[in-house]
Amino acid sequence: KTANKKAEKNKKSTLKTPNSISEREGQYNSINEECPPMGLETLKIDDFQLHASTTKRYGLGAHRGRLNIQAGLYEDDLYDGAWCAGRDDPLQWFEVDARRLTKFTGVITQGRSSLWSSDWVTSYKVMVSNDSHTWITLKNGSEDLIFSANREKEIPVRNIFPAPVVARYIRVNPRSWFNSGSICMRVEILGCPMPDPNNYYHRRNEVITTDDLDFRHHSYKEMRQLMKVVNEMCPNITRIYNIGKSHNGLKMYAIEISDNPGEHEVGEPEFRYTAGSHGNEVLGRELLLLLMQFMCLEYLSGNQRIRHLVEETRIHLLPSVNPDGYEKAFEVGSELSGWSLGRWSTDGIDIHHNFPDLNSILWEAEVKKWIPRKMFNHHVPIPEWYQSKNASVAVETRALIAWMEKMPFVLGGNLQGGELVVTFPYDKTRSQGVTREHTPTPDDHVFRWLAFSYASTHRLMTDANQRVCHTEDFAKEDGTINGASWHTAAGSMNDFSYLHTNCFELSMYVGCDKFPHESELPEEWENNRESLLVFMEQVHRGIKGVVRDMQGRGIANAIISVEGISHDIRTG
């Protein structure tokens, strides 16, 4: 994505007054130079770097003025969805201390995340300072520049400065706001730190990767090309295939990594990672593309850990479950796609929660004492209504189900975004009408271990000093949570996988920022690389073997029960 491409897609503001600036970057012959986001959204900028003139209350303080931050369902004093000024007048400001000289090139703004309020700023000035006492306002000739801002509360609006400005501090000074609302903003600043080898703060936060990988965002065609390159580099251990097509006809490509691609080997477990069921949660997709490159290169270089994984496991990576949604988000770019553009399939379906609700079927059977007489406690069948053509089921979901039924997976992870936590089944609360309730599976102890294996090896998930992404402090729970304890969701991929197949499936929320700027990808790879490998290695835990008859032949569909666990599995 280039700055030009982003600008072309977002020509929404129009020139209203001689001293206003629109999103059109050429309006003031701006020097076409754009720096990446400084990190309000990704939390690189910490709370102590954010200040404001006044605050309505603590939960609407400057520390909440971060692009795409989400308010809690019950907006309260701690976690609200923006910075809101204590007074509505033109003297208010929101300030970022970069802690070093920085070349500022632009500002991105949103209104307040709220189910109940409508608050956003419609225009603002920008001021900069080197000492936080003397402030210089950005000018257009002799006039103060007034930037056009938001027209509603969710769609981000970016303004690029006519020329970069170098300073340590930057202030956004709202000049007008929605007439039925208040001064409330969520902000991201675009800026490049100036070279300063003595700067302690920058060195402390710097994360460098030594892996030589393709760290950028890939369009659908580029993703396909990259997978082809990996396949050509490692033809003996990779195979590309597709599991079906999206609503718009894009193939859903997967890559298999194994010492015998295309073959299921007895005693060799099948593992899967999927990503991008919500098309705007882009980080997981890029992590899987990085993972396939990394595994190929490390295998070729003789890395014994990777060789063991490849030779003892059949690994499947499906980086883009919802390619249609991704293309929508990719088109506008990482900072302007907001919180939900591209989340759903083309026909408006949330693919991750589009599976049949087998929980209710199983729990009802348990209440009626039908198990095991009339129904099994595992491999719960898909109801007939769900399989009819009129059912609201995305073609992508049907393709996933066919894949899950065809391949004898035993462990899987789906990569999500917008949080830092690993969730495990059940995702649906057992008590009807309850939005949050701990609802464990019979295999709760195994799921807890699997979740902890990822979270504990992630660089940030269990860090007690890590600021919460939005409203929940998952670090105090070891970076893991039972899905239903967080928020109930019927028909999740995780619950379906557990109840319909032999596969234990978890969700990894791999970063606060759903669609990080590509300059963040090396650090995000470092955050997640070890976790991705450790979780795959868990597929070899536990008992495995072959069930045979008296003649030594393998028995298919033999039911295996473990005393004390009311969830059986079957042989393949």
Side-chain angles (χ1 to χ4, degrees), residues 114-370:
S114 171
L115 293 171
W116 324 108
S117 308
S118 296
D119 305 301
W120 61 86
V121 167
T122 55
S123 70
Y124 59 85
K125 293 181 182 179
V126 172
M127 298 177 278
V128 293
S129 170
N130 284 330
D131 59 9
S132 80
H133 298 294
T134 307
W135 292 88
I136 298 169
T137 303
L138 267 60
K139 302 262 185 194
N140 172 38
S142 60
E143 300 277 331
D144 288 354
L145 262 179
I146 301 204
F147 295 89
S148 296
N150 300 83
R151 297 178 179 182
E152 53 84 77
K153 58 190 175 187
E154 285 300 334
I155 298 174
V157 171
R158 180 188 55 199
N159 281 295
I160 300 298
F161 303 156
V165 285
V166 175
R168 170 173 167 173
Y169 301 90
I170 185 167
R171 276 184 184 175
V172 178
N173 164 220
R175 304 302 295 176
S176 61
W177 46 93
F178 178 52
N179 57 15
S180 299
S182 301
I183 294 177
C184 294
M185 302 182 84
R186 291 178 284 169
V187 178
E188 182 64 83
I189 305 293
L190 304 178
C192 304
M194 301 300 283
D196 180 3
N198 300 318
N199 189 289
Y200 163 72
Y201 291 110
H202 185 63
R203 288 203 318 276
R204 186 188 64 173
N205 295 324
E206 211 166 16
V207 176
I208 298 168
T209 184
T210 56
D211 296 325
D212 184 17
L213 306 174
D214 188 12
F215 292 108
R216 63 192 175 95
H217 288 298
H218 296 80
S219 69
Y220 177 77
K221 284 182 179 174
E222 290 166 340
M223 176 191 79
R224 196 175 57 186
Q225 181 60 29
L226 178 65
M227 293 172 82
K228 192 172 171 223
V229 168
V230 171
N231 178 234
E232 288 169 353
M233 280 175 63
C234 293
N236 297 331
I237 60 161
T238 60
R239 175 179 73 101
I240 298 171
Y241 64 100
N242 74 78
I243 69 163
K245 288 185 179 177
S246 70
H247 184 278
N248 290 350
L250 299 178
K251 288 179 180 173
M252 299 163 68
Y253 284 107
I255 193 164
E256 177 192 338
I257 304 176
S258 167
D259 57 349
N260 284 300
E263 288 180 43
H264 173 70
E265 298 178 71
V266 174
E268 185 168 290
E270 305 246 357
F271 175 92
R272 69 166 178 258
Y273 270 133
T274 58
S277 56
H278 299 139
N280 63 326
E281 292 171 13
V282 169
L283 179 54
R285 166 196 176 105
E286 293 304 328
L287 287 175
L288 291 192
L289 294 177
L290 291 165
L291 181 63
M292 62 182 73
Q293 298 171 62
F294 177 78
M295 291 192 73
C296 169
L297 290 168
E298 292 298 303
Y299 183 89
L300 292 176
S301 71
N303 180 324
Q304 286 306 303
R305 181 186 187 188
I306 300 301
R307 281 189 167 259
H308 183 263
L309 254 178
V310 170
E311 287 160 10
E312 301 298 325
T313 327
R314 192 178 180 206
I315 299 161
H316 303 258
L317 307 178
L318 177 61
S320 193
V321 169
N322 180 6
D324 299 351
Y326 173 79
E327 290 298 297
K328 275 186 196 168
F330 180 78
E331 194 176 358
V332 300
S334 64
E335 280 62 73
L336 302 182
S337 56
W339 191 247
S340 57
L341 179 68
R343 175 184 175 88
W344 298 279
S345 68
T346 298
D347 41 0
I349 291 172
D350 182 333
I351 296 169
H352 186 69
H353 299 115
N354 188 220
F355 292 81
D357 174 12
L358 304 184
N359 305 54
S360 299
I361 296 170
L362 175 71
W363 293 338
E364 185 183 352
E366 287 177 350
V367 169
K368 293 180 176 175
K369 296 189 166 50
W370 285 355

Side-chain angles (χ1 to χ4, degrees), residues 367-386:
V367 169
K368 293 180 176 175
K369 296 189 166 50
W370 285 355
I371 295 172
R373 203 166 32 88
K374 285 190 177 180
M375 198 175 121
F376 293 112
N377 65 8
H378 64 290
H379 283 238
V380 179
I382 297 172
E384 279 184 29
W385 67 263
Y386 184 90

Side-chain angles (χ1 to χ4, degrees), residues 80-128:
D80 224 317
W83 160 66
C84 290
R87 297 190 302 274
D88 291 329
D89 63 46
L91 301 175
Q92 306 307 308
W93 45 261
F94 176 86
E95 177 184 310
V96 180
D97 173 6
R99 288 184 172 154
R100 62 184 292 178
L101 283 180
T102 299
K103 180 168 66 179
F104 297 115
T105 63
V107 173
I108 302 169
T109 57
Q110 271 172 319
R112 175 179 172 186
S113 165
S114 171
L115 293 171
W116 324 108
S117 308
S118 296
D119 305 301
W120 61 86
V121 167
T122 55
S123 70
Y124 59 85
K125 293 181 182 179
V126 172
M127 298 177 278
V128 293

Side-chain angles (χ1 to χ4, degrees), residues 5-20:
K5 183 180 173 188
K6 281 188 182 175
E8 285 165 15
K9 299 294 177 192
N10 288 279
K11 291 178 182 172
K12 291 201 175 131
S13 300
T14 53
L15 203 59
K16 301 238 174 74
T17 60
N19 63 335
S20 76

